[in-house]
Each structure stands twice: as C-alpha cells, then as structure tokens.
Amino acid sequence: MQWQKSSFSGVEGGNCVELAHYEGQILIRESAASAAVITTAPELLRCLLAALKPEP
C-alpha cells in the first residue's frame, strides 16, 4: 500500500495528513501517529472535501 501526503503539508515533512486507497476504501492517517488510521468510502470523503472547500 502506498500512502500519499497531502499537498497542503508542505515539503518539510513533519506532521502530515496521508491518504491511501485500499480495497475500495480510503485510509487516512497523520504521519506523527501513523498507527491510528481511519477508513471511509471515497464518495463520503469527496462530500467532506467539497463541504470544506472555500468558495471562489
């Protein structure tokens, strides 16, 4: 499984939000606490991100 760091995390590393796709689910973790992983469906994550995205 390959984790992808959020583009908002910057280049310095440290505490980053990371996502991975596994068996049709999206896994989310913070790099500083990589053992704690939450799982969601892709469509639910899309809805959350759309709701959080600022309007232009």
Side-chain angles (χ1 to χ4, degrees):
M1 176 177 1
Q2 185 171 353
W3 290 91
Q4 180 177 348
K5 183 173 73 166
S6 168
S7 61
F8 288 101
S9 295
V11 294
E12 294 181 23
N15 296 335
C16 304
V17 174
E18 299 174 317
L19 301 173
H21 187 260
Y22 181 73
E23 295 186 355
Q25 296 291 307
I26 301 295
L27 285 61
I28 306 168
R29 72 181 185 183
E30 181 188 349
S31 60
S34 61
V37 176
I38 60 173
T39 305
T40 188
E43 58 274 6
L44 295 177
L45 181 59
R46 268 188 233 103
C47 289
L48 173 64
L49 294 176
L52 296 174
K53 185 175 181 179
E55 294 188 32

